[in-house]
Amino acid sequence: MFPRSHFSGEVRRAPASACSRSRLRAGGTVLLPSMLMFGVILASSGLLLMIEKGILAEVKPPPLHPPAGELARRVGGREVPGDFDHEVLRDIRNRTIRSVCGQRAMPRSVWELPAGQRRTLLRHLLVSDKYRFLYCYVPKVACSNWKRILKVLDGALESVDVKLKMDHKSDLVFLGDMKPEEINYRLKNYYKFIFVRNPVERLLSAYRNKFGEIKEYQLKYGVEIVRRYRKNGGKSAGDDVTFSEFLRYLLDEDVEKMNEHWMPIYNLCQPCAVRYDFIGSYERLNEDANHVLEKVQAPSFIRFPERQSWYKPVTAETLHYYLCNTQQKLIKELLPKYILDFSLFAYPLPNITSEFCRQ
């Protein structure tokens, strides 16, 4: 089974103690996956069977991303912030990353990656030489706001609140534009971080944004998707792509050739080839962003931008609607493409059981 919940935090690579290992096994709620386990499950269709029978939905450890301020524990009769729970859950995720990335076939540096994968990674690592950090940006995980911060830190933008359409290329420094020795130095000596998000929520966010609002994506991808997967779809302007058609398109796509907005986070940021110091999450965006800004010693006047008023968040109700109105078989077939995102970053597989969808 895979961890039911998700969380964020700094990556620690100290070896696990025998005591903690046995505790994780004995509890029956969390099993740390390995590449061997992935192979066995996928080869036997066990993963799909587990989803179909709702086995994954029955495992309910504490929530790992409660809204800020909700999590608390009692010490000496009074309530204090529940950072302890996040520490425990962060440790589980870090053990998972170590377990998977420790497999013999997994890359241990950027130079062990095939050329195409290395280009994708280096193209997504943004550099701040002034504050000595690398940020691997993931589209649909607040990357526009992080780019705003980078531009302010570099003096190219006056404030994170400036109302300008985001230029995702200019005034940004990409690791891929540097020489190998410069790349190696920064990978070794700079603070490295990424932000992750529930894979299904990220896909839904990309679908609603790109095909519901952006003409360029409707014409470039939408027209082709409708033509390919809909009978008599040749007259579509690409603005009426259904979620099911989008998922069918992803199912047929080569992961390494996907658009960055729906390419798996693993392929974008290669967490086995790059040892990230911190993995933040979309679910605790402000808290984790403030932690990073403090770590890189950003000026105190720089804060993470507020969410734009026009932004349409993916709510639990929205996710429920789309998942439960999509063919279960389609979702099950797509999951293996994103399985490393679910497992490495400890996100739950989507609940698509009949009981859940009746609610």
Side-chain angles (χ1 to χ4, degrees), residues 14 17-18 52 83 101 112-113 116 121 136 144 156 199 225 250 255 263 303 326 331-332 354:
S17 68
E52 186 172 344
D83 289 338
C101 295
E112 291 184 17
L113 294 169
L121 169 63
C136 186
S144 294
I225 289 173
L250 295 181
V255 167
M263 182 182 282
R303 54 176 177 73
T326 301
I331 296 173
K332 294 172 189 176
S354 300

Side-chain angles (χ1 to χ4, degrees), residues 199-209 243 314 318-319 322:
V200 180
E201 287 187 14
R202 179 172 169 251
L203 286 181
L204 180 54
S205 177
Y207 162 75
R208 295 170 77 205
N209 173 236
F243 190 55
V314 174
T318 307
L319 189 63
Y322 277 95

Side-chain angles (χ1 to χ4, degrees), residues 183-195:
I183 292 172
N184 284 336
Y185 176 81
R186 286 160 178 78
L187 285 170
K188 182 178 179 182
N189 295 289
Y190 282 17
Y191 184 77
K192 299 172 287 295
F193 68 94
I194 61 174
F195 272 70

Side-chain angles (χ1 to χ4, degrees), residues 221-239:
Y221 295 98
V223 171
E224 171 61 21
I225 289 173
V226 173
R227 186 197 64 77
R228 193 188 298 183
Y229 299 108
R230 190 185 305 171
K231 217 176 234 188
N232 304 319
K235 294 182 180 179
S236 170
D239 58 353

Side-chain angles (χ1 to χ4, degrees), residues 10 14 20 44 91 95 122 190 206 213 220 261 296 318 329 349:
E10 288 187 88
S20 58
S44 65
D91 183 61
R95 290 169 189 270
L122 296 179
Y190 282 17
E213 301 170 3
K220 184 175 181 180
H261 289 84
V296 302
T318 307
K329 182 175 182 288
L349 291 167

